[in-house]
Amino acid sequence: MSRQSLSDAQRESVLQVIAKHKSRPGPLIEILHGVQASLGFVPPGAVPVIAEGLNLSRAEVHGVVTFYHFFRDHPVGRHVVRLCQAESCQAMGASALAAHAKRRLGIDFHETSADGAFTLEPVYCLGNCACSPALMIDGDLLGRVTPQDFDDMVTAGQAHP
Amino acid sequence: MSIDVYVPRDASALSLGAEGVARAIEEEARAQRSQVRLIRNGSRGLYWLEPMVEVALPHGRWAYGPVKREDVASLFAADFLQGGAHPLSQGPTEEIPYLKSQQRLTSARVGVIEPTSIADYVAHGGYLGLKRALAMTPAEIVQAVLDSGLRGRGGAAFPTGIKWKTVLDQPPAQKYVTCNADEGDSGTFSDRMLMEGDPLALIEGMTIAGIAVGATQGYIYLRVEYPHAYAALNEALNAARQANYLGRDIMGSGRQFELEVRLGAGAYICGEETSMLESLEGKRGEIRVRPPLPAIKGLFGQPTVVNNVVTLASIPIILARGAAYYRDFGTGKSRGTLPLQLAGNVRRGGLVERAFGLSLRELLYDYGGGSASGRPIRAVQVGGPLGAYIPASQFDVAIDYEALTGIGALLGHGGVVVFDDTVDMAHMARYAMEFCAIESCGKCTPCRIGSTRGVEVIDRIIEGVERERNLVLLEDLCETMLQGSLCGLGGMTPFPVQSILKHFREDFHARTRH
């Protein structure tokens, strides 16, 4: 199977998402959210399928996927950890926390740990600025995160896939 | 009779363990056969006390905080359901000085009510504004907003009534009301608190806007980093629809307005209004060249109101209490109140809604209690990543639009980020440029290229490579970005950099060439 082609199940998911949102005004970003929610990422092979479904060019769809930091074109770990690196969190040690996180997981930002458990991403503000430094793991927000909290989170995340 | 106990569902409170506290209270109440009705409110915004648990006593609410899951058993042992004494007791909530001295208009219900309950909302003055608006002509509503002096709270501070009037004056067509809920500035969370703690206020404000300008469809453009707000908004939208506050026949008036939430996808630039409109249309969030203004050609090319969350959520009280009531708060051309957000290295971070005119020093020390680290406060960034860094010598500045502009700073969306004396300001200048490079939409050269060159020049200055020449180059680059960029991202990124060059220049000389 080439990198560009979708599995039958993936194609079916993408088509379902398209059908669900197609008639709404300006649906492309909604569709990309839907695809990423069901497949975990937006496979490059989904781009032509979406383009055809919305009567757009592949370039237009590709352009939107790549414009937004939230969309990714490759699979990620079982948990996505987004560490806030914006000013408020920096004022409370976010850079040191990031360095700790990278050491602990043995990866840099935008990478996935060898055991496939964690993907580490930087994020610029989670709106938790009165409780800096902050991070979000999957949909859960954490505040006043210490290196010890981070390690506890990693231990828990490795135990519960 | 069961006793009402409040544990916030606010994202920040949850980030500190509020969910575990709520579960522990339920379990303990069951074990002790206490009749407890658990209510998940928003946050009062006293974040050093979160998770803050409140008990409804006959004479008012009583606060305990910060409560950890492990504290719950001892709270029951101390009979907290009757306001019993406990080391975490904060006394009557409304008497906590941080809260008592505030002037909460826009955020009056946040943390008080059950966020998605129509009954609770109405019992606390909700939908009075809409009721008034339905009895007025569109021109009268717009006039009330003009008279209130309300200016856009998203950052640009443009008079809201003028925007609305422009949209109203367009010939009848499909018009839109859009809410910019892409609160991306570091140090800001008032939009989030409002959407989580009183989402119906935003919905009511947008409905009034729709009736005022003749729009039947609204969109809330919400950043994807706010999943808790997304859930609260959608619950509130459903409640409003079911109770006929949205839909084809609002409150039996025959007026129509529908509303939906659209999620962004992690692009700071989409907080710029034309970029937000592109994104709402499902496109790359590249900014549009103005004119035409969004009020004339906005979403899908139609006349569109674009306002921030706090702006729109301030509309109901203006209609309910009258323009004069709102206008009588504030000073000069800054009328009404502003929910300030105190963040970063500060002891008591949180939401402080006050009339314009409070001094920065009062905010930092009387409310904030100084730095969290206990070290001297060295710099404060006001107004997000595009705002200037203010040195301690200027902390007496009044917090209003004009006074801050007067010292070369800006108020923006009201975020205040505190740094102690361990901060490396040369690093913060580099970060300002780096952030712009990461978030630039790429449409104009000064922003797209200038920000990357800015990082490189600052790196050379820090390393001590031809420092004086590169400082001149950096100042020149700032000027180019400021004058030549299409929007505020490239056009304002120089503000923090220039403020550091002006007030903290010594940090660029910290390292000698090795």
Side-chain angles (χ1 to χ4, degrees), chain A residues 24-26 28-30 33 63 67-71 86-88 90-92 124-129 141 143-144, chain B residues 12 15 47 186-187 189 192 219 223 260 262 264-266 279 281 283-285 343-344 381 385 418 427 431 438-439:
Chain A
R24 300 169 67 189
L28 178 53
I29 290 174
E30 294 288 294
H33 273 300
F67 182 86
Y68 293 96
H69 299 301
F70 185 77
F71 297 130
E87 289 91 337
S88 175
Q90 285 192 40
M92 290 300 280
Y124 298 93
C125 199
L126 295 164
N128 200 19
C129 319
L141 186 62
R144 298 191 193 125
Chain B
S12 280
S15 85
Y47 280 117
S186 176
F189 45 82
R192 180 187 61 69
Y219 290 97
R223 63 199 304 256
E260 76 172 84
R262 288 284 177 102
S279 189
E281 292 182 11
K283 301 174 186 162
R284 290 165 66 89
Q381 188 179 30
V418 180
H427 172 79
Y431 173 77
I438 294 168
E439 298 296 342

Side-chain angles (χ1 to χ4, degrees), chain B residues 120-134:
Chain B
D120 218 3
Y121 183 67
V122 169
H124 287 81
Y127 280 123
L128 211 75
L130 178 60
K131 206 171 151 188
R132 290 262 158 83
L134 286 170

Side-chain angles (χ1 to χ4, degrees), chain B residues 138 141 164 168 175-177 203-218 255-257 305 312:
Chain B
I141 303 172
W164 287 24
L168 173 62
K175 299 177 184 179
Y176 296 102
V177 174
I203 293 168
E204 183 184 353
M206 291 185 75
T207 309
I208 294 170
I211 287 164
V213 304
T216 52
Q217 177 68 45
R255 312 294 284 272
Q256 183 181 342
F257 190 69
V305 169
L312 288 161

Side-chain angles (χ1 to χ4, degrees), chain B residues 474-498:
Chain B
L474 178 60
E475 284 176 1
D476 191 56
L477 176 64
C478 282
E479 205 54 39
T480 302
M481 289 175 70
L482 211 142
Q483 303 293 339
S485 300
L486 279 175
C487 84
L489 181 53
M492 291 161 71
T493 289
F495 291 166
V497 179
Q498 288 174 324

Side-chain angles (χ1 to χ4, degrees), chain A residues 21 24-30 32-33 56 59-60 62-71 82 84-92 95 122-132 134-136 138-145, chain B residues 11-12 15-16 47-48 184-189 192 219 223-228 260 262-267 269-270 279-285 300 342-345 349-350 381 385 389 417-419 427-428 431 435 438-439 441:
Chain A
H21 296 289
R24 300 169 67 189
L28 178 53
I29 290 174
E30 294 288 294
L32 295 176
H33 273 300
L56 295 171
E60 282 170 300
H62 175 77
V64 172
V65 176
T66 52
F67 182 86
Y68 293 96
H69 299 301
F70 185 77
F71 297 130
R82 297 195 282 163
C84 182
Q85 297 295 293
E87 289 91 337
S88 175
C89 288
Q90 285 192 40
M92 290 300 280
S95 303
V123 68
Y124 298 93
C125 199
L126 295 164
N128 200 19
C129 319
C131 311
S132 293
L135 67 77
M136 190 173 268
D138 306 325
D140 290 333
L141 186 62
L142 301 182
R144 298 191 193 125
V145 181
Chain B
S12 280
S15 85
L16 302 172
Y47 280 117
W48 75 100
D185 289 355
S186 176
T188 66
F189 45 82
R192 180 187 61 69
Y219 290 97
R223 63 199 304 256
V224 71
E225 291 83 355
Y226 282 1
H228 305 85
E260 76 172 84
R262 288 284 177 102
L263 278 180
I269 189 61
C270 292
S279 189
L280 270 175
E281 292 182 11
K283 301 174 186 162
R284 290 165 66 89
F300 303 114
L342 202 42
N345 195 332
Q381 188 179 30
Y389 285 92
V417 177
V418 180
F419 293 82
H427 172 79
M428 298 319 295
Y431 173 77
F435 182 73
I438 294 168
E439 298 296 342
C441 83

